Amino acid sequence: MSQSTFLKNVWYAAGWSADLAPGARIARTILNRPVVLWRSEEGTASALEDRCVHRAMALSAGVVTGSRLRCAYHGLEFAADGRCVRIPAQDRIPETARVRHYPLVERQALMWIWMGDAEQADPSLIPDYPIHEDASYAWRGAHLQVNGNWQLLVDNLMDLSHLPYIHARTIGGDPDLHFRTKTKSEKRGQTVRVTRLMPDSEPPPTYVDAANFQGKVDRWQEVIFEPVFIRIHTGACDAGTGAYDGPDYGALGTTRFSMRGCHAITPETETTTHYFWSMATNILDNGVPDEVFEQTARTFREDQEVLELQQRRMLECPDEPLIDIASDVGGRHTRQLIANLRRENIGMG
Amino acid sequence: MSQSTFLKNVWYAAGWSADLAPGARIARTILNRPVVLWRSEEGTASALEDRCVHRAMALSAGVVTGSRLRCAYHGLEFAADGRCVRIPAQDRIPETARVRHYPLVERQALMWIWMGDAEQADPSLIPDYPIHEDASYAWRGAHLQVNGNWQLLVDNLMDLSHLPYIHARTIGGDPDLHFRTKTKSEKRGQTVRVTRLMPDSEPPPTYVDAANFQGKVDRWQEVIFEPVFIRIHTGACDAGTGAYDGPDYGALGTTRFSMRGCHAITPETETTTHYFWSMATNILDNGVPDEVFEQTARTFREDQEVLELQQRRMLECPDEPLIDIASDVGGRHTRQLIANLRRENIGMG
Amino acid sequence: MSQSTFLKNVWYAAGWSADLAPGARIARTILNRPVVLWRSEEGTASALEDRCVHRAMALSAGVVTGSRLRCAYHGLEFAADGRCVRIPAQDRIPETARVRHYPLVERQALMWIWMGDAEQADPSLIPDYPIHEDASYAWRGAHLQVNGNWQLLVDNLMDLSHLPYIHARTIGGDPDLHFRTKTKSEKRGQTVRVTRLMPDSEPPPTYVDAANFQGKVDRWQEVIFEPVFIRIHTGACDAGTGAYDGPDYGALGTTRFSMRGCHAITPETETTTHYFWSMATNILDNGVPDEVFEQTARTFREDQEVLELQQRRMLECPDEPLIDIASDVGGRHTRQLIANLRRENIGMG
């Protein structure tokens, strides 16, 4: 990890829209760069370099005034595009009086930032996540800061065989069931899709509690990676009612229980990562959404501890070999995809 | 800032005399060197390298015994000039048994240290600050440790246009008045003098409270830099009574209110700074000196936060350009002067 | 200290056997390497690299199951020799699925580890310390982590002339007696033996309290270094009853008081050290063992503070000269021996 592992020309989640009220500023390091996210009094969110061009003061310590961000130190004011539009007690504003501007787009509850070549910042490339606007789901979002390289988090999510170990106390479930289940991984363009199917199996207690299953179920786990966003869909239907038919698991089944995880992964530095996640469920009553969210939050804190221990060891023993095992197939596909993208990014950069 | 920014052959404030009682030791890093300040039981203050020549133990952990400083570890004793004068259970003391001695002079309430070439340590070069001995002023001193390079603090003090922004809640005053006021900067030998005059203006509330002004005033701000000591004189007289006449602002005016700041700036490391400051006022009653000191202390803590944010950004983005604005004229003169001195210091070193 | 100061091909104390119950794991850095000490459910203690060969997870966060250590992340299981013996949901285990194994031997209450060339790990080279199994002594052990290079701790123990200074409040005793006492140092093979005899002297108060001496005593201090283990034997007998006769001080005397210190010194990193020490005494009643242990623990915390101040100064001023004094004779012999061993280790490595 001595050289940068970052992909530059992709959209990254920069934060939850709801966390940035009109007039507010958030200081956030993204891909090693200090960034200020701020929202004008009229409601437009923007991202600028968090460093005044005059004396390097953090602009996030400043004040939003109308549609401008004013530096706290000597009062220089900046527009959303990074141009300085006022220098107190000075008439002429030089052309060099500007800070770097990062494209920022709000979509489906998240703010998305582009840290790479601005000319390639095409909003149509932003990962689509309609669940955040789908009234048949209830969801809650969170922000974790993980002291580990972003790829460790990707590896973690692409290989769910860790569930019976790390999460034995929460969502792990029956280890034997996990061992019997084959993992399938497919690359398709810039995505990797990992699936694990458990047909005609005993539903875990939480599934029964939430959806009141009366007998066996057809379960699924589906993990879809695109750079750098992971969707995880897990759930079950009554066995034999078409859980695996059609393009979307469970869409045709009866007594469906569905949990959908949004995992937006944004490098903060080479050894720390912003993790914006949400958990949605299709059972809206009996406290199920809150229960599902709380259980997921506990689970991810368990993962966080693991990633931080991994990162420490990798820094301590940087050049020592590691091996892959059978369940790494999804992770390996993902790392190949990332390596290809990194080469292309460098070629472009 | 990858190479040293220090000026070596200048007198630096090492501490307040009152903070070092007979028999006391203070461990203090100055220009990246560990220094022990200590005062003999007879009352003489000295400065030595804070590292025993035997086993590198910090001498500041030792004991003052008469006019000697005894190491806490094996009992070696050192005189004020750094020579070892006793080694327990050993008769001969080798010539190499000595620690580095730094010239130290007490003057006008401060201890001044010379970290450079000892042969050039001429006490007549110590900045003169008679205010600390002037019975017509009341003053109090303080010591701040700032997590920023010393030049950021110099910049801060040489450009008071930050007052209406950083200090809006304390000494800022009317922004419009600040914007209308021209800043004048003059270089003269090894000093830079910045002045801002506000004739026939409304006095700020604190001025009225302190000096009971009845009408408009002639105000001044005067900042004088010499390496590395800054005097700031601010105040006002009744308008039209000669505030700006004579060599010293306000000396000839009536109902004079005068605040005099001593700002002794001593690099601790490249990214941290000792800041020994005092604030004096000529209104001695009605609690004015305490009020002025407390307000100044609050103000400087605001500056401290700014400098620390600046330093962080400069370390994060070391090679990125900054611009000057009109109000930087005094700071620019000062940095030119410092750059010249640094070249000469290196030539001498 | 820019290059390694470690001796590699020696046995190091890794911990107290009593601190590792069946099924327990201890994460410990030794010679800059992450090590997990663990004990099987059957009772065998082992040492492995604390880093799973799959994803670099700390094995010390795992679970002992029978005679195996299972990784907390994906459930790989390792035998005591470092071989992976189970990969969940995978039949074939590749030859490369192993973590580094360190020889570990338990003897006389300590676990001894060999970090060097495994072929040279001869258990007969482990320092012998029968006091821990001698019913005529009562002892207690402890583990200190010292923020200083291991050689600073060796220096400290080989030159007891620091007692009247650092330990004036505890075991220091009469400074004049210390100054009159000659220090003798002998090199013999891979050991250094330092002795200081105080015949016909006044016993210190703690000696009188413990052993009820009625008159003068013949006292001794004996320090024996072998890499990297130090035995310190101090004590006294009634004067003139043969304290110094025979191969073991005090063995032939009457009213003997004997304190025996075990000092096992294990580098953690270049600037931090594990210090496993025990203190034993031959007076078993009247609370003497507890009193002696508590006093020693206080004393070693005083040493710890000194070593940490030394280390800081050595890091700040790495290239500046130090001098030896007369009482350094034992320390100088020891450092010569260590330097020779280091050269040989490099030759072997």
Side-chain angles (χ1 to χ4, degrees):
Chain A
M1 255 178 260
S2 57
Q3 65 189 81
S4 171
T5 69
F6 302 150
L7 297 174
K8 292 207 72 173
N9 287 316
V10 294
W11 288 100
Y12 285 106
W16 293 103
S17 286
D19 290 344
L20 191 70
R25 300 96 49 217
I26 294 175
R28 191 155 280 169
T29 297
I30 299 178
L31 275 64
N32 254 341
R33 304 288 315 178
V35 173
V36 53
L37 308 173
W38 60 287
R39 193 181 294 282
S40 72
E41 292 180 324
E42 297 81 15
T44 306
S46 311
L48 297 176
E49 185 174 6
D50 191 16
R51 170 186 169 279
C52 182
V53 69
H54 174 222
R55 282 291 170 268
M57 178 64 185
L59 291 174
S60 52
V63 173
V64 173
T65 163
S67 60
R68 297 170 171 191
L69 179 58
R70 187 173 72 207
C71 181
Y73 199 177
H74 299 92
L76 278 71
E77 295 179 10
F78 295 89
D81 64 359
R83 278 184 313 112
C84 179
V85 289
R86 178 165 184 258
I87 300 177
Q90 178 170 334
D91 295 330
R92 209 185 63 82
I93 296 177
E95 189 53 36
T96 52
R98 56 167 64 241
V99 296
R100 191 164 173 188
H101 158 258
Y102 299 103
L104 189 86
V105 176
E106 295 191 272
R107 182 166 299 172
Q108 293 159 340
L110 283 162
M111 297 182 282
W112 294 88
I113 196 168
W114 182 273
M115 303 296 293
D117 178 356
E119 286 174 25
Q120 300 181 49
D122 174 359
S124 75
L125 301 173
I126 292 173
D128 185 39
Y129 199 68
I131 300 296
H132 283 159
E133 299 175 331
D134 183 339
S136 62
Y137 280 86
W139 65 274
R140 285 170 62 190
H143 175 209
L144 268 185
Q145 273 173 293
V146 177
N147 290 326
N149 177 272
W150 64 279
Q151 291 188 93
L152 300 181
L153 180 52
V154 172
D155 285 345
N156 175 278
L157 294 165
M158 296 308 292
D159 176 8
L160 297 184
S161 77
H162 69 275
L163 264 59
Y165 298 105
I166 295 297
H167 308 308
R169 286 166 298 175
T170 53
I171 59 171
D174 174 11
D176 281 340
L177 178 58
H178 281 279
F179 303 152
R180 286 194 315 270
T181 304
K182 283 285 162 242
T183 297
K184 188 174 152 195
S185 175
E186 308 153 273
K187 282 194 278 190
R188 204 176 300 170
Q190 298 211 347
T191 67
V192 174
R193 179 170 178 261
V194 170
T195 46
R196 302 173 83 212
L197 302 184
M198 296 168 242
D200 203 32
S201 61
E202 211 61 55
T206 50
Y207 280 41
V208 176
D209 290 349
N212 197 23
F213 288 111
Q214 302 293 323
K216 291 203 169 178
V217 295
D218 292 340
R219 277 178 75 187
W220 64 83
Q221 297 179 323
E222 179 188 50
V223 184
I224 300 176
F225 170 89
E226 68 180 282
V228 182
F229 185 73
I230 295 174
R231 298 162 181 81
I232 299 185
H233 185 201
T234 56
C237 289
D238 289 326
T241 62
Y244 308 135
D245 302 338
D248 192 20
Y249 287 138
L252 306 174
T254 57
T255 325
R256 182 168 64 101
F257 178 52
S258 162
M259 286 167 57
R260 293 190 182 261
C262 148
H263 306 264
I265 295 169
T266 304
E268 184 181 40
T269 67
E270 284 296 340
T271 56
T272 60
T273 301
H274 295 290
Y275 183 14
F276 302 100
W277 63 269
S278 73
M279 185 51 69
T281 175
N282 70 323
I283 310 289
L284 309 185
D285 45 16
N286 292 326
V288 170
D290 281 348
E291 176 58 33
V292 162
F293 181 85
E294 292 303 332
Q295 194 185 72
T296 306
R298 273 198 302 279
T299 299
F300 290 178
R301 282 193 296 270
E302 291 170 342
D303 287 310
Q304 186 177 24
E305 285 174 35
V306 169
L307 302 181
E308 298 184 2
L309 280 167
Q310 277 188 286
Q311 180 65 58
R312 271 186 54 190
R313 286 295 178 268
M314 288 181 162
L315 290 173
E316 287 167 356
C317 314
D319 299 321
E320 306 200 12
L322 295 171
I323 63 164
D324 274 356
I325 61 176
S327 61
D328 287 315
V329 54
R332 196 160 50 240
H333 284 162
T334 308
R335 273 179 272 133
Q336 287 163 358
L337 175 58
I338 291 169
N340 289 341
L341 287 170
R342 194 177 296 124
R343 268 193 296 278
E344 290 166 27
N345 264 293
I346 287 168
M348 290 170 187
Chain B
M1 256 179 261
S2 57
Q3 67 187 80
S4 171
T5 68
F6 302 149
L7 297 174
K8 292 206 71 172
N9 287 315
V10 294
W11 289 99
Y12 284 106
W16 293 103
S17 286
D19 290 345
L20 192 70
R25 299 95 49 217
I26 295 175
R28 191 155 280 167
T29 298
I30 299 178
L31 273 66
N32 254 339
R33 303 288 317 178
V35 173
V36 52
L37 308 173
W38 60 288
R39 193 182 294 282
S40 72
E41 293 180 323
E42 297 81 15
T44 307
S46 312
L48 297 176
E49 186 173 5
D50 191 15
R51 171 186 169 277
C52 181
V53 68
H54 174 222
R55 282 292 169 268
M57 177 65 185
L59 292 174
S60 52
V63 173
V64 174
T65 163
S67 59
R68 298 170 171 191
L69 180 57
R70 188 172 71 207
C71 181
Y73 199 176
H74 299 92
L76 279 71
E77 296 180 10
F78 295 87
D81 65 358
R83 278 183 312 114
C84 180
V85 288
R86 177 165 185 259
I87 300 178
Q90 179 170 336
D91 295 330
R92 210 184 63 82
I93 297 176
E95 188 55 33
T96 51
R98 55 167 64 242
V99 297
R100 192 164 172 188
H101 159 259
Y102 298 103
L104 189 87
V105 176
E106 295 192 272
R107 182 166 298 173
Q108 293 161 340
L110 282 163
M111 296 181 283
W112 293 91
I113 196 169
W114 183 273
M115 303 296 293
D117 178 356
E119 286 175 24
Q120 300 181 50
D122 175 359
S124 76
L125 300 173
I126 293 173
D128 185 39
Y129 199 67
I131 300 297
H132 284 158
E133 300 176 329
D134 183 339
S136 62
Y137 279 86
W139 66 275
R140 284 171 62 190
H143 175 208
L144 268 185
Q145 273 174 293
V146 177
N147 289 326
N149 177 272
W150 64 279
Q151 292 188 91
L152 300 181
L153 180 52
V154 172
D155 285 345
N156 174 279
L157 294 166
M158 296 309 292
D159 176 7
L160 298 184
S161 78
H162 69 274
L163 264 59
Y165 298 104
I166 296 295
H167 308 308
R169 286 165 299 175
T170 53
I171 59 170
D174 174 13
D176 281 340
L177 177 58
H178 281 279
F179 302 152
R180 287 194 314 268
T181 303
K182 283 285 163 244
T183 297
K184 188 176 150 194
S185 174
E186 307 152 274
K187 282 195 278 190
R188 204 177 300 170
Q190 297 211 347
T191 67
V192 174
R193 179 170 177 260
V194 170
T195 47
R196 303 173 84 211
L197 303 184
M198 296 168 240
D200 203 34
S201 62
E202 213 60 56
T206 51
Y207 282 40
V208 176
D209 291 349
N212 197 24
F213 289 111
Q214 302 293 322
K216 292 204 167 174
V217 297
D218 292 341
R219 274 178 76 185
W220 65 85
Q221 296 179 325
E222 179 189 49
V223 184
I224 300 176
F225 170 90
E226 68 180 282
V228 182
F229 184 73
I230 296 173
R231 298 162 181 82
I232 299 185
H233 185 201
T234 55
C237 290
D238 288 326
T241 62
Y244 307 136
D245 300 337
D248 192 22
Y249 286 138
L252 306 174
T254 57
T255 326
R256 181 168 64 102
F257 177 52
S258 162
M259 287 168 58
R260 292 187 181 265
C262 148
H263 306 265
I265 296 168
T266 304
E268 183 181 41
T269 67
E270 284 296 339
T271 56
T272 59
T273 301
H274 294 290
Y275 183 15
F276 302 100
W277 63 269
S278 74
M279 185 51 70
T281 175
N282 70 322
I283 309 290
L284 308 186
D285 46 16
N286 292 326
V288 171
D290 280 348
E291 176 57 34
V292 162
F293 181 85
E294 291 304 332
Q295 194 185 71
T296 306
R298 274 199 300 280
T299 300
F300 289 178
R301 281 194 295 271
E302 291 171 342
D303 287 309
Q304 186 178 24
E305 284 174 36
V306 168
L307 301 181
E308 298 183 2
L309 281 166
Q310 278 187 286
Q311 180 66 55
R312 272 186 53 189
R313 286 296 178 269
M314 287 180 163
L315 289 173
E316 287 167 357
C317 313
D319 299 320
E320 305 201 12
L322 295 171
I323 63 164
D324 275 356
I325 61 175
S327 62
D328 287 316
V329 54
R332 196 159 52 239
H333 283 163
T334 307
R335 274 178 270 134
Q336 288 163 358
L337 174 58
I338 291 169
N340 288 341
L341 287 170
R342 194 178 294 124
R343 270 193 295 277
E344 290 166 27
N345 265 293
I346 288 168
M348 291 170 187
Chain C
M1 252 178 265
S2 57
Q3 65 188 78
S4 171
T5 68
F6 302 150
L7 296 175
K8 293 207 71 175
N9 286 317
V10 294
W11 289 99
Y12 285 106
W16 293 103
S17 286
D19 289 346
L20 191 70
R25 298 95 51 218
I26 295 175
R28 191 156 281 167
T29 298
I30 299 178
L31 274 66
N32 253 340
R33 303 289 315 178
V35 172
V36 52
L37 308 174
W38 58 288
R39 193 182 294 282
S40 72
E41 292 180 324
E42 297 81 14
T44 306
S46 312
L48 297 176
E49 186 174 7
D50 190 16
R51 170 185 170 277
C52 182
V53 69
H54 175 222
R55 282 292 171 266
M57 178 64 184
L59 292 175
S60 52
V63 173
V64 174
T65 163
S67 60
R68 298 169 171 193
L69 180 58
R70 187 172 73 207
C71 181
Y73 199 176
H74 300 91
L76 279 71
E77 296 179 10
F78 296 89
D81 66 358
R83 277 184 312 112
C84 181
V85 288
R86 176 165 187 259
I87 300 177
Q90 178 170 333
D91 297 328
R92 209 184 64 82
I93 297 177
E95 188 53 35
T96 51
R98 55 167 63 242
V99 297
R100 191 163 173 188
H101 158 258
Y102 298 103
L104 190 87
V105 176
E106 294 192 272
R107 182 166 300 173
Q108 294 161 340
L110 282 163
M111 297 182 283
W112 294 90
I113 196 169
W114 182 273
M115 303 297 293
D117 179 357
E119 288 176 23
Q120 301 180 50
D122 175 359
S124 75
L125 300 173
I126 292 173
D128 185 39
Y129 200 67
I131 300 296
H132 284 157
E133 300 175 331
D134 183 340
S136 62
Y137 279 86
W139 66 274
R140 284 172 62 192
H143 175 210
L144 268 185
Q145 272 173 293
V146 177
N147 290 325
N149 177 272
W150 64 280
Q151 291 189 90
L152 299 180
L153 181 51
V154 172
D155 286 344
N156 175 278
L157 293 165
M158 296 309 292
D159 176 8
L160 298 183
S161 78
H162 69 274
L163 265 59
Y165 298 105
I166 295 297
H167 308 308
R169 285 166 299 174
T170 52
I171 59 169
D174 175 11
D176 281 340
L177 178 59
H178 281 279
F179 302 153
R180 284 196 313 269
T181 303
K182 283 285 163 243
T183 297
K184 188 175 151 194
S185 174
E186 307 153 274
K187 283 194 277 190
R188 205 176 300 172
Q190 296 210 351
T191 67
V192 174
R193 178 170 178 261
V194 170
T195 48
R196 302 173 84 212
L197 303 184
M198 296 168 241
D200 203 33
S201 62
E202 212 60 56
T206 50
Y207 281 40
V208 176
D209 290 350
N212 197 22
F213 289 112
Q214 302 294 322
K216 291 203 168 177
V217 296
D218 291 340
R219 276 178 76 187
W220 65 84
Q221 297 179 324
E222 179 188 49
V223 184
I224 299 176
F225 170 90
E226 69 180 282
V228 184
F229 184 72
I230 295 175
R231 299 160 180 84
I232 299 185
H233 184 200
T234 55
C237 290
D238 288 325
T241 62
Y244 306 136
D245 301 339
D248 192 21
Y249 287 137
L252 305 176
T254 57
T255 327
R256 182 167 64 101
F257 177 52
S258 162
M259 286 167 58
R260 292 189 182 265
C262 147
H263 306 265
I265 296 168
T266 304
E268 183 181 39
T269 67
E270 284 296 340
T271 56
T272 60
T273 301
H274 295 290
Y275 183 15
F276 301 100
W277 63 268
S278 73
M279 184 51 70
T281 176
N282 69 322
I283 311 289
L284 309 185
D285 47 15
N286 292 324
V288 170
D290 280 349
E291 175 58 33
V292 161
F293 181 84
E294 291 304 333
Q295 194 184 71
T296 306
R298 274 198 302 279
T299 299
F300 290 177
R301 282 194 295 271
E302 290 170 343
D303 286 310
Q304 187 177 23
E305 285 174 36
V306 168
L307 301 180
E308 299 184 1
L309 280 167
Q310 277 188 287
Q311 180 66 56
R312 272 185 53 190
R313 285 297 179 268
M314 286 180 165
L315 290 173
E316 286 166 357
C317 313
D319 298 321
E320 306 201 11
L322 295 171
I323 63 165
D324 276 356
I325 61 175
S327 60
D328 286 316
V329 54
R332 197 160 49 240
H333 284 162
T334 308
R335 272 178 272 132
Q336 287 163 357
L337 174 59
I338 292 169
N340 288 341
L341 288 170
R342 194 177 296 123
R343 268 193 297 277
E344 291 165 27
N345 264 293
I346 288 168
M348 290 170 187

